[in-house]
Amino acid sequence: MLAFPAYAHKMVPSHPVLKQSHVSGILKTELELFNKRKDVEYYELGVFDADWNPIPFVSAYRVAHVRYLGHLKFDVYIRQDDKDRAEYVCSQSKLRGDSTGTLLASRICSRFQR
């Protein structure tokens, strides 16, 4: 049996709280992404319902650039009307087409606190 080290990224908090933003009808949560992968520098963000259907959201990033061992703090905004449908906020590593290393993508999801 072969063993390989598992390298991934981390997103905190694991159960983000949606709070009222400065705009009426819009909720906001604050997250932080930490990159522990040498072979990946870009992460795609998304918000999903319980069946993994995408939910519209706004953030400063759709695809975030985070260097190896780097941190990125960011906000995610959703409509008040989507609060009960929004289940997860996720980040997924984006692999380069010319990568000579691993081709294993990692997805980390945080579940919204109810």
Side-chain angles (χ1 to χ4, degrees):
M1 179 179 211
L2 296 174
F4 296 98
Y7 300 106
H9 63 286
K10 180 169 116 178
M11 190 166 62
V12 293
S14 61
H15 291 83
V17 176
L18 288 167
K19 298 177 182 176
Q20 182 61 48
S21 74
H22 64 284
V23 178
S24 178
I26 302 296
L27 301 176
K28 165 187 165 180
T29 192
E30 299 171 354
L31 295 152
E32 183 173 4
L33 187 62
F34 177 61
N35 181 12
K36 294 196 263 182
R37 291 187 63 171
K38 288 183 181 180
D39 61 332
V40 175
E41 289 190 1
Y42 292 92
Y43 294 90
E44 182 176 15
L45 305 176
V47 176
F48 302 92
D49 67 13
D51 295 322
W52 297 102
N53 297 309
I55 298 217
F57 75 99
V58 173
S59 179
Y61 310 94
R62 281 293 176 159
V63 176
H65 181 246
V66 186
R67 295 188 188 280
Y68 175 60
L69 298 180
H71 292 261
L72 176 68
K73 291 184 179 183
F74 61 97
D75 299 326
V76 170
Y77 298 87
I78 67 167
R79 295 179 303 195
Q80 176 77 39
D81 294 344
D82 291 329
K83 179 184 179 186
D84 294 331
R85 285 189 330 122
E87 194 74 25
Y88 305 102
V89 57
C90 301
S91 57
Q92 181 171 338
S93 59
K94 302 300 287 177
L95 304 173
R96 295 183 201 171
D98 63 344
S99 177
T100 57
T102 180
L103 293 179
L104 180 64
S106 57
R107 177 191 270 187
I108 304 293
C109 295
S110 295
R111 191 173 204 172
F112 288 111
Q113 188 174 9
R114 301 281 179 216

